[in-house]
Amino acid sequence: MSEVWNGFRISSPFGYRTHPITKQRHTFHTGIDLVKKHLAPIEAFISGRVLFVGMGQQGSGFGGYGNVVLIQDAIGRGNVYAHLHDVSVRVGQTVKKGQVIGRQGSTGNSTGSHLHFEVRKAASSNVPYGWIADRPNNCVEPTAYVDAYKEPVKSNPVPKPGTGGKITLKIDGRWGPQTTRALQDAISTVTDGIISDQTRNQASQAIIGVEFGNGRNGSLVIKRLQRIVGSKQDGLIGPHTVRAMQKHLCTVQDGVISTPNSLMVRTLQRRLKIGNLK
Ligand SMILES: [Zn+2]
């Protein structure tokens, strides 16, 4: 477990689970449930601007969330802090990472005092912020997101997600530097188009035009990709990682990136283009 949730106990992870209240199976948990003590101060995990504060109303995208603080980070994603007992920030305020935003509580649909933390993509929606019915596609795995999050450097502003930003990516099934750059942008690492520290192996040969380093530590962008697709995080693209990517992208799982036009790479490019890798 990473140190992302330092001081918290995870009481329910992100993803599919049996719902704690309705007992319905295979419901999607859109965030992570974190527990300190009841009324413990809750600090922002990521800096940003407060977009919404208050009791989540049905139909607002925050129904059942109780007392909510919504903070938009510099990448444009919505960081949702829910079930708070009370709130100590106001709308429009800039909040620094580590700043107290409220206290842990049990407001809204909650089985006990905890923090529900959720990261939403900016969505094309009419409701206040980032709500779409397809929740797994609108919510990001929060542990990887917070862990990978870096404040953008002023000279290198991060484009608005979902717009494709400054990255023009052709969906051609060839994994070249542009695909690497789009992947780096999606995963919030440097966007230099180079997979560094990647030992050349059989699978990497199949990726046309990708620049690789000669390191043994594995590439950071590949490690983060491996975390998303659920394969061993060694930072090296091998058949196991390719197979996990294929599973994640719902293409044929043969562990091979075919050339010159790979269906998996095309699917990856399409997902990167619409800002929906996770
Ligand atoms: Zn929750």
Side-chain angles (χ1 to χ4, degrees):
M1 190 59 229
S2 71
E3 59 276 21
V4 173
W5 313 120
N6 212 351
F8 286 99
R9 177 172 63 81
I10 298 171
S11 62
S12 183
F14 173 81
Y16 287 98
R17 65 170 184 181
T18 299
H19 195 276
I21 294 173
T22 65
K23 305 293 179 206
Q24 201 185 329
R25 282 174 164 196
H26 206 67
T27 50
F28 193 82
H29 188 216
T30 52
I32 187 167
D33 289 348
L34 301 164
V35 180
K36 272 186 177 167
K37 279 200 314 248
H38 182 53
L39 305 184
I42 299 298
E43 300 166 358
F45 299 118
I46 292 177
S47 304
R49 218 171 79 88
V50 179
L51 291 191
F52 174 81
V53 166
M55 267 295 193
Q57 300 299 316
Q58 288 302 330
S60 73
F62 292 127
Y65 281 62
N67 254 328
V68 174
V69 171
L70 170 66
I71 297 175
Q72 186 173 34
D73 64 34
I75 289 177
R77 301 243 152 110
N79 297 205
V80 180
Y81 300 80
H83 308 304
L84 296 168
H85 184 79
D86 50 25
V87 166
S88 50
V89 290
R90 24 183 190 78
V91 172
Q93 189 181 337
T94 302
V95 170
K96 286 262 169 259
K97 178 184 173 178
Q99 191 173 330
V100 174
I101 57 159
R103 290 189 294 168
Q104 181 184 308
S106 191
T107 55
N109 296 343
S110 167
T111 50
S113 182
H114 75 287
L115 169 69
H116 171 98
F117 178 71
E118 177 176 312
V119 179
R120 291 183 184 180
K121 300 176 182 182
S124 50
S125 169
N126 299 322
V127 286
Y129 187 82
W131 175 268
I132 52 173
D134 193 2
R135 304 179 90 193
N137 285 328
N138 194 34
C139 295
V140 171
E141 199 288 297
T143 306
Y145 185 73
V146 173
D147 193 28
Y149 187 86
K150 270 194 291 204
E151 284 301 323
V153 184
K154 276 213 174 66
S155 60
N156 183 21
V158 171
K160 246 178 118 85
T163 60
K166 62 180 188 280
I167 288 151
T168 46
L169 181 61
K170 222 162 86 184
I171 296 167
D172 57 4
R174 289 167 62 108
W175 189 338
Q178 285 298 84
T179 301
T180 301
R181 210 168 281 134
L183 180 63
Q184 289 172 321
D185 182 58
I187 292 176
S188 312
T189 63
V190 281
T191 49
D192 57 3
I194 297 168
I195 295 175
S196 59
D197 229 358
Q198 162 81 47
T199 310
R200 240 173 215 293
N201 57 23
Q202 230 182 335
S204 66
Q205 300 292 337
I207 307 176
I208 307 154
V210 173
E211 287 192 58
F212 290 108
N214 289 311
R216 290 191 306 271
N217 299 328
S219 152
L220 183 62
V221 68
I222 298 304
K223 274 184 196 164
R224 288 181 183 169
L225 179 66
Q226 286 170 328
R227 179 151 50 187
I228 292 167
V229 302
S231 73
K232 191 181 156 207
Q233 290 168 50
D234 59 4
L236 305 174
I237 305 176
H240 186 267
T241 297
V242 173
R243 208 168 288 125
M245 286 175 73
Q246 289 170 325
K247 187 175 180 206
H248 185 79
L249 297 167
C250 306
T251 61
V252 187
Q253 291 167 49
D254 57 4
V256 177
I257 299 175
S258 54
T259 55
N261 185 346
S262 156
L263 176 63
M264 187 208 78
V265 174
R266 237 187 302 137
T267 309
L268 173 69
Q269 290 168 330
R270 208 167 288 129
R271 294 273 290 261
L272 288 169
K273 196 135 190 165
I274 60 170
N276 181 14
L277 181 59
K278 288 157 199 179

PDB file of all heavy atoms in Angstrom, residues 6 23 30 46 52 59 67 85 88 93 107 117-118 128 132 141 167 175 180 201 230 243 251 261 264 272 278:
ATOM      1  N   ASN A   6      -1.969   8.076   4.122  1.00  0.00           N
ATOM      2  CA  ASN A   6      -1.296   8.091   5.413  1.00  0.00           C
ATOM      3  C   ASN A   6      -2.233   8.519   6.548  1.00  0.00           C
ATOM      4  O   ASN A   6      -2.848   9.561   6.476  1.00  0.00           O
ATOM      5  CB  ASN A   6      -0.126   9.079   5.320  1.00  0.00           C
ATOM      6  CG  ASN A   6       1.021   8.648   6.190  1.00  0.00           C
ATOM      7  OD1 ASN A   6       0.881   7.716   6.977  1.00  0.00           O
ATOM      8  ND2 ASN A   6       2.147   9.308   6.042  1.00  0.00           N
ATOM      9  N   LYS A  23     -27.217  -3.733  -0.282  1.00  0.00           N
ATOM     10  CA  LYS A  23     -26.722  -5.118  -0.386  1.00  0.00           C
ATOM     11  C   LYS A  23     -26.764  -5.638  -1.834  1.00  0.00           C
ATOM     12  O   LYS A  23     -26.653  -6.836  -2.072  1.00  0.00           O
ATOM     13  CB  LYS A  23     -27.515  -6.087   0.518  1.00  0.00           C
ATOM     14  CG  LYS A  23     -27.570  -5.678   1.987  1.00  0.00           C
ATOM     15  CD  LYS A  23     -26.217  -5.739   2.665  1.00  0.00           C
ATOM     16  CE  LYS A  23     -26.310  -5.312   4.123  1.00  0.00           C
ATOM     17  NZ  LYS A  23     -25.044  -4.787   4.634  1.00  0.00           N
ATOM     18  N   THR A  30     -17.630   4.524  -6.503  1.00  0.00           N
ATOM     19  CA  THR A  30     -16.977   5.537  -7.349  1.00  0.00           C
ATOM     20  C   THR A  30     -15.795   6.218  -6.670  1.00  0.00           C
ATOM     21  O   THR A  30     -15.107   7.012  -7.295  1.00  0.00           O
ATOM     22  CB  THR A  30     -17.996   6.607  -7.740  1.00  0.00           C
ATOM     23  OG1 THR A  30     -18.627   7.072  -6.536  1.00  0.00           O
ATOM     24  CG2 THR A  30     -19.044   6.034  -8.661  1.00  0.00           C
ATOM     25  N   ILE A  46      -4.979  17.153  -2.609  1.00  0.00           N
ATOM     26  CA  ILE A  46      -4.443  17.845  -3.792  1.00  0.00           C
ATOM     27  C   ILE A  46      -4.915  19.295  -3.718  1.00  0.00           C
ATOM     28  O   ILE A  46      -6.045  19.563  -3.313  1.00  0.00           O
ATOM     29  CB  ILE A  46      -4.966  17.168  -5.086  1.00  0.00           C
ATOM     30  CG1 ILE A  46      -4.362  15.760  -5.247  1.00  0.00           C
ATOM     31  CG2 ILE A  46      -4.689  18.016  -6.319  1.00  0.00           C
ATOM     32  CD1 ILE A  46      -4.870  14.989  -6.450  1.00  0.00           C
ATOM     33  N   PHE A  52     -17.706  23.685  -5.120  1.00  0.00           N
ATOM     34  CA  PHE A  52     -18.999  23.464  -4.465  1.00  0.00           C
ATOM     35  C   PHE A  52     -18.781  23.087  -3.009  1.00  0.00           C
ATOM     36  O   PHE A  52     -17.873  22.339  -2.687  1.00  0.00           O
ATOM     37  CB  PHE A  52     -19.783  22.354  -5.187  1.00  0.00           C
ATOM     38  CG  PHE A  52     -21.065  21.977  -4.496  1.00  0.00           C
ATOM     39  CD1 PHE A  52     -22.215  22.740  -4.668  1.00  0.00           C
ATOM     40  CD2 PHE A  52     -21.115  20.871  -3.660  1.00  0.00           C
ATOM     41  CE1 PHE A  52     -23.391  22.404  -4.008  1.00  0.00           C
ATOM     42  CE2 PHE A  52     -22.304  20.524  -3.001  1.00  0.00           C
ATOM     43  CZ  PHE A  52     -23.431  21.297  -3.183  1.00  0.00           C
ATOM     44  N   GLY A  59     -30.094  14.605  -7.697  1.00  0.00           N
ATOM     45  CA  GLY A  59     -30.102  15.150  -9.054  1.00  0.00           C
ATOM     46  C   GLY A  59     -28.980  16.138  -9.319  1.00  0.00           C
ATOM     47  O   GLY A  59     -28.803  16.593 -10.448  1.00  0.00           O
ATOM     48  N   ASN A  67     -22.622  16.265   3.344  1.00  0.00           N
ATOM     49  CA  ASN A  67     -21.833  17.496   3.229  1.00  0.00           C
ATOM     50  C   ASN A  67     -20.644  17.250   2.312  1.00  0.00           C
ATOM     51  O   ASN A  67     -19.811  16.395   2.604  1.00  0.00           O
ATOM     52  CB  ASN A  67     -21.299  17.901   4.614  1.00  0.00           C
ATOM     53  CG  ASN A  67     -22.038  19.090   5.177  1.00  0.00           C
ATOM     54  OD1 ASN A  67     -22.490  19.965   4.419  1.00  0.00           O
ATOM     55  ND2 ASN A  67     -22.161  19.128   6.481  1.00  0.00           N
ATOM     56  N   HIS A  85     -18.691  16.007   8.346  1.00  0.00           N
ATOM     57  CA  HIS A  85     -19.514  16.487   9.457  1.00  0.00           C
ATOM     58  C   HIS A  85     -19.757  17.989   9.308  1.00  0.00           C
ATOM     59  O   HIS A  85     -20.872  18.475   9.453  1.00  0.00           O
ATOM     60  CB  HIS A  85     -18.826  16.204  10.793  1.00  0.00           C
ATOM     61  CG  HIS A  85     -19.644  16.590  11.978  1.00  0.00           C
ATOM     62  ND1 HIS A  85     -20.677  15.799  12.426  1.00  0.00           N
ATOM     63  CD2 HIS A  85     -19.610  17.683  12.782  1.00  0.00           C
ATOM     64  CE1 HIS A  85     -21.236  16.406  13.464  1.00  0.00           C
ATOM     65  NE2 HIS A  85     -20.609  17.539  13.700  1.00  0.00           N
ATOM     66  N   SER A  88     -14.969  23.691   6.316  1.00  0.00           N
ATOM     67  CA  SER A  88     -14.299  24.931   6.731  1.00  0.00           C
ATOM     68  C   SER A  88     -13.722  25.720   5.549  1.00  0.00           C
ATOM     69  O   SER A  88     -12.803  26.501   5.724  1.00  0.00           O
ATOM     70  CB  SER A  88     -13.216  24.609   7.757  1.00  0.00           C
ATOM     71  OG  SER A  88     -12.385  23.569   7.286  1.00  0.00           O
ATOM     72  N   GLN A  93     -12.603  29.653  -3.059  1.00  0.00           N
ATOM     73  CA  GLN A  93     -11.345  29.676  -2.310  1.00  0.00           C
ATOM     74  C   GLN A  93     -10.321  28.731  -2.934  1.00  0.00           C
ATOM     75  O   GLN A  93     -10.672  27.673  -3.446  1.00  0.00           O
ATOM     76  CB  GLN A  93     -11.663  29.233  -0.876  1.00  0.00           C
ATOM     77  CG  GLN A  93     -10.529  29.391   0.111  1.00  0.00           C
ATOM     78  CD  GLN A  93     -10.954  28.892   1.499  1.00  0.00           C
ATOM     79  OE1 GLN A  93     -12.139  28.845   1.823  1.00  0.00           O
ATOM     80  NE2 GLN A  93      -9.963  28.496   2.295  1.00  0.00           N
ATOM     81  N   THR A 107     -22.600  12.286   7.272  1.00  0.00           N
ATOM     82  CA  THR A 107     -23.778  12.909   6.667  1.00  0.00           C
ATOM     83  C   THR A 107     -24.116  12.216   5.350  1.00  0.00           C
ATOM     84  O   THR A 107     -23.252  11.616   4.718  1.00  0.00           O
ATOM     85  CB  THR A 107     -23.536  14.413   6.434  1.00  0.00           C
ATOM     86  OG1 THR A 107     -22.346  14.573   5.646  1.00  0.00           O
ATOM     87  CG2 THR A 107     -23.365  15.160   7.748  1.00  0.00           C
ATOM     88  N   PHE A 117     -13.812   9.683  -0.665  1.00  0.00           N
ATOM     89  CA  PHE A 117     -13.043  10.546  -1.563  1.00  0.00           C
ATOM     90  C   PHE A 117     -13.142  10.001  -2.977  1.00  0.00           C
ATOM     91  O   PHE A 117     -12.975   8.808  -3.211  1.00  0.00           O
ATOM     92  CB  PHE A 117     -11.578  10.619  -1.129  1.00  0.00           C
ATOM     93  CG  PHE A 117     -10.722  11.447  -2.052  1.00  0.00           C
ATOM     94  CD1 PHE A 117     -10.866  12.834  -2.086  1.00  0.00           C
ATOM     95  CD2 PHE A 117      -9.805  10.855  -2.906  1.00  0.00           C
ATOM     96  CE1 PHE A 117     -10.099  13.611  -2.945  1.00  0.00           C
ATOM     97  CE2 PHE A 117      -9.029  11.620  -3.766  1.00  0.00           C
ATOM     98  CZ  PHE A 117      -9.177  13.000  -3.785  1.00  0.00           C
ATOM     99  N   GLU A 118     -13.424  10.893  -3.890  1.00  0.00           N
ATOM    100  CA  GLU A 118     -13.698  10.485  -5.276  1.00  0.00           C
ATOM    101  C   GLU A 118     -13.063  11.492  -6.212  1.00  0.00           C
ATOM    102  O   GLU A 118     -13.036  12.690  -5.917  1.00  0.00           O
ATOM    103  CB  GLU A 118     -15.225  10.474  -5.412  1.00  0.00           C
ATOM    104  CG  GLU A 118     -15.784  10.163  -6.749  1.00  0.00           C
ATOM    105  CD  GLU A 118     -17.329  10.100  -6.682  1.00  0.00           C
ATOM    106  OE1 GLU A 118     -17.902   9.441  -5.783  1.00  0.00           O
ATOM    107  OE2 GLU A 118     -17.952  10.736  -7.534  1.00  0.00           O
ATOM    108  N   PRO A 128     -24.323  20.331 -12.318  1.00  0.00           N
ATOM    109  CA  PRO A 128     -23.271  21.228 -11.858  1.00  0.00           C
ATOM    110  C   PRO A 128     -21.834  20.842 -12.215  1.00  0.00           C
ATOM    111  O   PRO A 128     -21.094  21.648 -12.736  1.00  0.00           O
ATOM    112  CB  PRO A 128     -23.470  21.244 -10.351  1.00  0.00           C
ATOM    113  CG  PRO A 128     -24.905  20.999 -10.163  1.00  0.00           C
ATOM    114  CD  PRO A 128     -25.340  20.105 -11.287  1.00  0.00           C
ATOM    115  N   ILE A 132     -22.017  12.027 -14.939  1.00  0.00           N
ATOM    116  CA  ILE A 132     -22.653  11.314 -16.026  1.00  0.00           C
ATOM    117  C   ILE A 132     -23.157   9.989 -15.478  1.00  0.00           C
ATOM    118  O   ILE A 132     -22.648   9.514 -14.457  1.00  0.00           O
ATOM    119  CB  ILE A 132     -21.743  11.101 -17.261  1.00  0.00           C
ATOM    120  CG1 ILE A 132     -20.412  10.474 -16.847  1.00  0.00           C
ATOM    121  CG2 ILE A 132     -21.509  12.398 -18.014  1.00  0.00           C
ATOM    122  CD1 ILE A 132     -19.542  10.097 -18.016  1.00  0.00           C
ATOM    123  N   GLU A 141      -9.534   5.999 -10.612  1.00  0.00           N
ATOM    124  CA  GLU A 141      -9.049   5.241  -9.453  1.00  0.00           C
ATOM    125  C   GLU A 141      -8.253   6.222  -8.578  1.00  0.00           C
ATOM    126  O   GLU A 141      -7.216   6.737  -8.996  1.00  0.00           O
ATOM    127  CB  GLU A 141      -8.191   4.078  -9.943  1.00  0.00           C
ATOM    128  CG  GLU A 141      -7.996   2.977  -8.916  1.00  0.00           C
ATOM    129  CD  GLU A 141      -7.072   3.375  -7.790  1.00  0.00           C
ATOM    130  OE1 GLU A 141      -5.892   3.639  -8.040  1.00  0.00           O
ATOM    131  OE2 GLU A 141      -7.547   3.461  -6.639  1.00  0.00           O
ATOM    132  N   ILE A 167      -2.356  17.849 -27.354  1.00  0.00           N
ATOM    133  CA  ILE A 167      -1.877  16.636 -27.999  1.00  0.00           C
ATOM    134  C   ILE A 167      -2.793  16.245 -29.150  1.00  0.00           C
ATOM    135  O   ILE A 167      -3.988  16.026 -28.975  1.00  0.00           O
ATOM    136  CB  ILE A 167      -1.753  15.502 -26.964  1.00  0.00           C
ATOM    137  CG1 ILE A 167      -0.554  15.788 -26.064  1.00  0.00           C
ATOM    138  CG2 ILE A 167      -1.608  14.151 -27.622  1.00  0.00           C
ATOM    139  CD1 ILE A 167      -0.686  15.233 -24.695  1.00  0.00           C
ATOM    140  N   TRP A 175       2.114   2.696 -32.194  1.00  0.00           N
ATOM    141  CA  TRP A 175       2.514   3.329 -30.938  1.00  0.00           C
ATOM    142  C   TRP A 175       3.824   4.091 -31.149  1.00  0.00           C
ATOM    143  O   TRP A 175       4.903   3.562 -30.983  1.00  0.00           O
ATOM    144  CB  TRP A 175       2.651   2.270 -29.850  1.00  0.00           C
ATOM    145  CG  TRP A 175       2.846   2.816 -28.476  1.00  0.00           C
ATOM    146  CD1 TRP A 175       3.325   4.058 -28.134  1.00  0.00           C
ATOM    147  CD2 TRP A 175       2.573   2.155 -27.244  1.00  0.00           C
ATOM    148  NE1 TRP A 175       3.353   4.197 -26.775  1.00  0.00           N
ATOM    149  CE2 TRP A 175       2.904   3.043 -26.191  1.00  0.00           C
ATOM    150  CE3 TRP A 175       2.084   0.890 -26.918  1.00  0.00           C
ATOM    151  CZ2 TRP A 175       2.764   2.700 -24.855  1.00  0.00           C
ATOM    152  CZ3 TRP A 175       1.944   0.554 -25.593  1.00  0.00           C
ATOM    153  CH2 TRP A 175       2.284   1.452 -24.569  1.00  0.00           C
ATOM    154  N   THR A 180       2.858   7.823 -26.869  1.00  0.00           N
ATOM    155  CA  THR A 180       3.545   7.870 -25.570  1.00  0.00           C
ATOM    156  C   THR A 180       3.238   9.182 -24.857  1.00  0.00           C
ATOM    157  O   THR A 180       2.946   9.211 -23.661  1.00  0.00           O
ATOM    158  CB  THR A 180       5.074   7.726 -25.752  1.00  0.00           C
ATOM    159  OG1 THR A 180       5.339   6.487 -26.402  1.00  0.00           O
ATOM    160  CG2 THR A 180       5.796   7.746 -24.415  1.00  0.00           C
ATOM    161  N   ASN A 201      13.021  -5.300 -25.179  1.00  0.00           N
ATOM    162  CA  ASN A 201      12.716  -6.728 -25.163  1.00  0.00           C
ATOM    163  C   ASN A 201      11.832  -7.038 -26.360  1.00  0.00           C
ATOM    164  O   ASN A 201      11.546  -6.153 -27.168  1.00  0.00           O
ATOM    165  CB  ASN A 201      12.051  -7.121 -23.836  1.00  0.00           C
ATOM    166  CG  ASN A 201      10.783  -6.328 -23.576  1.00  0.00           C
ATOM    167  OD1 ASN A 201      10.164  -5.820 -24.517  1.00  0.00           O
ATOM    168  ND2 ASN A 201      10.404  -6.212 -22.329  1.00  0.00           N
ATOM    169  N   GLY A 230      -3.556  -3.451 -14.070  1.00  0.00           N
ATOM    170  CA  GLY A 230      -3.474  -4.542 -13.109  1.00  0.00           C
ATOM    171  C   GLY A 230      -2.427  -5.590 -13.422  1.00  0.00           C
ATOM    172  O   GLY A 230      -2.660  -6.772 -13.221  1.00  0.00           O
ATOM    173  N   ARG A 243      -0.732  -8.240 -22.393  1.00  0.00           N
ATOM    174  CA  ARG A 243      -1.953  -9.018 -22.188  1.00  0.00           C
ATOM    175  C   ARG A 243      -2.895  -8.292 -21.215  1.00  0.00           C
ATOM    176  O   ARG A 243      -4.100  -8.234 -21.440  1.00  0.00           O
ATOM    177  CB  ARG A 243      -1.598 -10.423 -21.665  1.00  0.00           C
ATOM    178  CG  ARG A 243      -2.632 -11.461 -22.062  1.00  0.00           C
ATOM    179  CD  ARG A 243      -2.156 -12.885 -21.805  1.00  0.00           C
ATOM    180  NE  ARG A 243      -1.122 -13.306 -22.732  1.00  0.00           N
ATOM    181  CZ  ARG A 243       0.072 -13.775 -22.378  1.00  0.00           C
ATOM    182  NH1 ARG A 243       0.405 -13.869 -21.105  1.00  0.00           N
ATOM    183  NH2 ARG A 243       0.948 -14.131 -23.283  1.00  0.00           N
ATOM    184  N   THR A 251      -9.632  -6.098 -25.904  1.00  0.00           N
ATOM    185  CA  THR A 251      -9.271  -6.631 -27.227  1.00  0.00           C
ATOM    186  C   THR A 251      -8.745  -8.057 -27.026  1.00  0.00           C
ATOM    187  O   THR A 251      -8.672  -8.541 -25.899  1.00  0.00           O
ATOM    188  CB  THR A 251      -8.199  -5.758 -27.927  1.00  0.00           C
ATOM    189  OG1 THR A 251      -7.013  -5.748 -27.131  1.00  0.00           O
ATOM    190  CG2 THR A 251      -8.687  -4.322 -28.106  1.00  0.00           C
ATOM    191  N   ASN A 261      -0.617  -2.207 -37.715  1.00  0.00           N
ATOM    192  CA  ASN A 261      -1.848  -1.608 -37.204  1.00  0.00           C
ATOM    193  C   ASN A 261      -2.417  -2.510 -36.114  1.00  0.00           C
ATOM    194  O   ASN A 261      -3.060  -3.503 -36.405  1.00  0.00           O
ATOM    195  CB  ASN A 261      -2.832  -1.445 -38.385  1.00  0.00           C
ATOM    196  CG  ASN A 261      -4.093  -0.721 -37.959  1.00  0.00           C
ATOM    197  OD1 ASN A 261      -4.366  -0.557 -36.766  1.00  0.00           O
ATOM    198  ND2 ASN A 261      -4.873  -0.294 -38.928  1.00  0.00           N
ATOM    199  N   MET A 264      -5.212  -3.157 -30.382  1.00  0.00           N
ATOM    200  CA  MET A 264      -5.058  -2.702 -29.000  1.00  0.00           C
ATOM    201  C   MET A 264      -4.557  -1.264 -28.957  1.00  0.00           C
ATOM    202  O   MET A 264      -5.067  -0.448 -28.194  1.00  0.00           O
ATOM    203  CB  MET A 264      -4.085  -3.606 -28.251  1.00  0.00           C
ATOM    204  CG  MET A 264      -4.014  -3.290 -26.776  1.00  0.00           C
ATOM    205  SD  MET A 264      -2.430  -3.693 -26.048  1.00  0.00           S
ATOM    206  CE  MET A 264      -1.437  -2.317 -26.589  1.00  0.00           C
ATOM    207  N   LEU A 272      -7.381   7.365 -25.059  1.00  0.00           N
ATOM    208  CA  LEU A 272      -6.572   8.521 -24.666  1.00  0.00           C
ATOM    209  C   LEU A 272      -7.177   9.801 -25.231  1.00  0.00           C
ATOM    210  O   LEU A 272      -7.193  10.836 -24.576  1.00  0.00           O
ATOM    211  CB  LEU A 272      -5.132   8.357 -25.175  1.00  0.00           C
ATOM    212  CG  LEU A 272      -4.289   7.310 -24.459  1.00  0.00           C
ATOM    213  CD1 LEU A 272      -2.998   7.060 -25.221  1.00  0.00           C
ATOM    214  CD2 LEU A 272      -3.985   7.719 -23.025  1.00  0.00           C
ATOM    215  N   LYS A 278      -8.966   5.004 -17.792  1.00  0.00           N
ATOM    216  CA  LYS A 278      -9.180   4.183 -16.598  1.00  0.00           C
ATOM    217  C   LYS A 278     -10.556   3.551 -16.519  1.00  0.00           C
ATOM    218  O   LYS A 278     -11.265   3.455 -17.436  1.00  0.00           O
ATOM    219  CB  LYS A 278      -8.908   5.018 -15.364  1.00  0.00           C
ATOM    220  CG  LYS A 278      -7.421   5.254 -15.248  1.00  0.00           C
ATOM    221  CD  LYS A 278      -7.092   6.490 -14.432  1.00  0.00           C
ATOM    222  CE  LYS A 278      -5.664   6.947 -14.723  1.00  0.00           C
ATOM    223  NZ  LYS A 278      -5.315   8.123 -13.995  1.00  0.00           N
TER     224      LYS A 278
END
